[in-house]
């Protein structure tokens, strides 16, 4: 993969070494001799080779997608430098942090990470601490959105409809706090003395089987398949007892059997928000590999999902209003994708919000929704960068701006 498709900054080892040894003032002078990047594109590549199981790379963008995004940014006049490891990011920030704030490149957030509840907040947290603009929402919003149970509690608190459900924190609940995170009844999941097989469940009010069981902290349908639909308490116990410990905690919700919709929101608290039409999710029969929107469907080996923009107007208006309400309440910034599903009676329920939605022009639903309603691919990325630069002027970056080392003159 070429960094920035020839328009990025490719400093030699000597140049890097020289830049590292200069002072802040010298760097500003030296920067006139080369064009610093305007965008640092940090991406987790699906093709990355290392000691990482493939399933943990499920959410990572393909190299072809990142190449396409990098080329588009370059065609827009941005100078792009690609970074793919934490070590590269640290070394690069050490150089460009000495540039004037207005000259610092935007950290373009395409990181997903794995096995950490903070994984989607690491880039915005680092950017805020060290004083770099970044795309996407801040660390707080990213952490809330990654935790499906915390998200549904937040959504319920502001009036969005959520399906009855509760949280199972571990396969072995001995010694845990007896409170579940059920919206309907916080004390609904009572622990028994010894093992999961002996565990007693006092189900939340309005909860009924069949139920859908999903990891509370994963994306791209990781750990989800047809087996995640359970029809009674016995099946639920069996599923939990056989589930990998790494996927706990699990969120258990009443299974919704109706149509699923996805909707995209773009904007920020300072610039306002725009919302797209709602796309109805369809799994094409010829390519379908399972009857749920699960891990096999979301793999990059086969892509049977497509969207149809035929949502009834009254329902669509409700989904748009409620999606905007959630984004405004949470204070999202940049791209947000929200998923909704209907029950058997056609009532809509909020499922989740993704604040690092895929931006691939080949398979991601966010750009499809955006193109349907708000603008073309170039407009999408221009808006993402504009929001990032505008957000950089807000108060949350004051700490990195004001907390700087003063060099005292010696007399």
């Amino acid at each position: 993969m070429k960094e920035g498709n020839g328009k990025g900054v490719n400093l030699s080892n000597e140049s890097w070494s020289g830049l590292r040894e200069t002072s802040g003032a010298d760097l500003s002078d030296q920067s006139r001799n080369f064009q610093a990047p305007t965008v640092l594109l940090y991406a987790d590549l699906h093709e990355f080779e290392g000691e990482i199981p493939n399933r943990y790379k499920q959410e990572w963008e393909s190299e072809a997608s990142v190449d396409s995004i990098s080329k588009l940014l370059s065609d827009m006049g941005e100078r792009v430098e690609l970074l793919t490891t934490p070590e590269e990011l640290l070394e690069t920030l050490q150089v460009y942090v000495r540039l004037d704030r207005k000259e610092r490149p935007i950290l373009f957030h395409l990181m997903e990470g794995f096995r950490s509840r903070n994984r989607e907040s690491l880039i915005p947290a680092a950017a805020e601490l060290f004083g770099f603009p970044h795309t996407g929402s801040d660390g707080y919003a990213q952490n809330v959105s990654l935790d499906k149970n915390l998200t549904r509690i937040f959504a319920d608190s502001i009036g969005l409809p959520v399906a009855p459900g509760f949280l199972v924190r571990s396969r072995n609940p001995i010694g845990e706090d007896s409170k579940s995170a059920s919206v309907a009844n916080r004390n609904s999941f009572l622990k028994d003395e010894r093992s999961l097989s002996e565990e007693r469940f006092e189900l939340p009010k309005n909860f009924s089987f069949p139920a859908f069981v999903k990891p509370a902290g994963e994306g791209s349908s990781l750990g989800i398949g047809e087996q995640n639909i359970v029809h009674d308490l016995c099946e639920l116990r069996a599923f939990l007892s056989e589930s990998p410990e790494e996927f706990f905690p699990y969120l258990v919700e009443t299974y919704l059997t109706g149509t699923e919709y996805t909707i995209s929101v773009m904007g920020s608290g300072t610039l306002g928000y725009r919302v797209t039409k709602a796309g109805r999710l369809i799994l094409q029969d010829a390519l379908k590999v399972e009857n749920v929107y699960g891990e096999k469907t979301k793999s990059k080996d086969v892509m049977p999902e497509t969207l149809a923009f035929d949502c009834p107007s009254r329902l669509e208006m409700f989904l748009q209003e409620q999606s905007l309400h959630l984004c405004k309440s949470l204070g999202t910034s940049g791209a947000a994708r929200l998923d909704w599903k209907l029950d058997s009676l056609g009532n809509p329920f909020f499922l989740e919000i993704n604040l690092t939605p895929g931006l691939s022009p080949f398979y991601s639903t966010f750009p499809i929704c955006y193109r349907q309603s708000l603008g073309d691919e170039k407009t999408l990325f221009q808006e993402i960068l504009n929001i990032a630069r505008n957000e950089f002027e807000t108060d949350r970056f004051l700490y990195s701006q004001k907390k700087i080392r003063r060099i005292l003159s010696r007399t």
Side-chain angles (χ1 to χ4, degrees):
M1 175 181 291
K2 295 181 181 179
E3 299 183 2
N5 292 276
K7 295 186 180 180
V9 176
N10 294 287
L11 299 175
S12 66
N13 289 335
E14 291 79 8
S15 299
W16 275 97
S17 177
L19 283 174
R20 288 195 187 101
E21 293 170 0
T22 60
S23 67
D26 292 337
L27 181 58
S28 295
D29 293 337
Q30 193 167 345
S31 67
R32 298 190 186 99
N33 299 322
F34 76 97
Q35 287 187 309
T38 58
V39 174
L40 297 176
L41 181 60
Y42 188 96
D44 282 325
L45 298 179
H46 190 260
E47 294 83 358
F48 181 82
E49 295 182 0
E51 298 179 3
I52 302 174
N54 284 333
R55 73 184 317 177
Y56 291 140
K57 296 187 286 184
Q58 181 101 316
E59 291 184 278
W60 297 12
E61 292 285 15
S62 68
E63 187 171 332
S65 296
V66 175
D67 270 335
S68 179
I69 292 171
S70 180
K71 182 180 185 305
L72 178 60
L73 291 171
S74 296
D75 290 344
M76 290 164 49
E78 303 292 341
R79 296 184 298 276
V80 184
E81 183 174 344
L82 175 67
L83 307 171
T84 60
T85 68
E87 182 181 26
E88 288 178 331
L89 177 62
L90 179 60
E91 290 178 349
T92 305
L93 293 184
Q94 285 178 322
V95 173
Y96 295 128
V97 75
R98 285 173 281 175
L99 288 172
D100 183 84
R101 288 183 81 256
K102 294 181 179 180
E103 298 177 2
R104 292 178 190 174
I106 293 175
L107 277 175
F108 201 107
H109 183 5
L110 291 180
M111 176 184 174
E112 292 291 347
F114 66 94
R115 295 297 298 275
S116 168
R117 67 180 185 176
N118 301 310
R119 57 192 177 85
E120 291 182 346
S121 67
L122 297 177
I123 290 293
E128 185 174 325
L129 179 60
F130 297 118
F132 285 82
H134 67 86
T135 63
S137 294
D138 67 4
Y140 170 79
Q142 293 282 4
N143 273 335
V144 172
S145 69
L146 183 61
D147 187 324
K148 292 181 175 65
N149 186 63
L150 188 56
T151 302
R152 71 191 299 274
I153 292 173
F154 184 90
D156 177 70
S157 74
I158 61 172
L160 270 66
V162 296
F166 56 92
L167 191 70
V168 181
R169 293 195 175 276
S170 70
R171 184 192 296 132
N172 243 335
I174 300 174
E176 284 189 357
D177 187 345
S178 63
K179 293 183 179 180
S180 83
S182 163
V183 169
N185 182 351
R186 304 290 191 251
N187 294 308
S188 62
F189 186 40
L190 304 180
K191 311 299 180 186
D192 208 354
E193 297 83 25
R194 296 192 178 279
S195 69
L196 189 62
S197 61
E198 299 171 348
E199 195 166 357
R200 291 185 294 109
F201 290 81
E202 183 180 312
L203 301 176
K205 296 176 182 178
N206 303 322
F207 181 87
S208 61
F209 287 99
F212 196 77
V213 191
K214 56 188 176 183
E218 296 293 348
S220 285
S221 298
L222 192 63
I224 290 178
E226 294 176 354
Q227 72 278 3
N228 293 65
I229 303 174
V230 295
H231 297 86
D232 53 39
L233 204 52
C234 183
E235 286 188 12
L236 175 58
R237 286 197 183 103
F239 176 88
L240 295 173
S241 65
E242 297 169 2
S243 297
E245 191 68 41
E246 65 201 76
F247 287 150
F248 283 87
Y250 274 96
L251 180 60
V252 184
E253 294 178 305
T254 296
Y255 182 53
L256 304 171
T257 58
T259 303
E260 185 169 343
Y261 290 93
T262 188
I263 197 165
S264 296
V265 174
M266 177 69 82
S268 69
T270 55
L271 294 178
Y273 295 90
R274 300 196 297 159
V275 62
T276 69
K277 296 174 68 66
R280 176 170 59 90
L281 180 67
I282 301 172
L283 298 181
Q284 303 173 72
D285 289 335
L287 299 174
K288 188 163 62 175
V289 292
E290 55 188 345
N291 290 317
V292 298
Y293 200 38
E295 187 171 340
K296 294 178 182 178
T297 300
K298 294 281 288 210
S299 74
K300 292 177 174 58
D301 298 325
V302 59
M303 300 172 190
E305 67 268 34
T306 186
L307 296 179
F309 293 90
D310 56 4
C311 183
S313 58
R314 185 178 178 185
L315 173 60
E316 184 170 64
M317 184 177 297
F318 176 83
L319 298 181
Q320 289 174 329
E321 290 175 348
Q322 295 299 303
S323 296
L324 285 171
H325 180 42
L326 179 58
C327 288
K328 291 176 182 177
S329 300
L330 186 55
T332 65
S333 180
R337 195 202 73 234
L338 297 92
D339 298 330
W340 296 78
K341 196 170 185 183
L342 310 184
D343 65 9
S344 59
L345 300 177
N347 299 308
F349 290 88
F350 169 73
L351 292 181
E352 62 180 78
I353 180 172
N354 188 337
L355 297 182
T356 55
L359 297 175
S360 169
F362 308 120
Y363 47 76
S364 298
T365 57
F366 182 93
I368 296 174
C369 289
Y370 189 96
R371 290 194 299 264
Q372 181 70 23
S373 308
L374 303 181
D376 59 16
E377 208 84 23
K378 182 178 179 180
T379 305
L380 164 60
F381 283 88
Q382 285 175 333
E383 193 166 2
I384 288 174
L385 295 179
N386 182 50
I387 292 170
R389 290 178 172 125
N390 179 270
E391 191 75 10
F392 191 47
E393 302 304 319
T394 61
D395 287 352
R396 69 184 180 90
F397 288 91
L398 281 176
Y399 180 82
S400 62
Q401 182 180 353
K402 302 297 184 183
K403 189 72 181 296
I404 58 177
R405 181 173 53 194
R406 301 292 184 184
I407 300 177
L408 301 177
S409 60
R410 296 181 179 179
T411 58

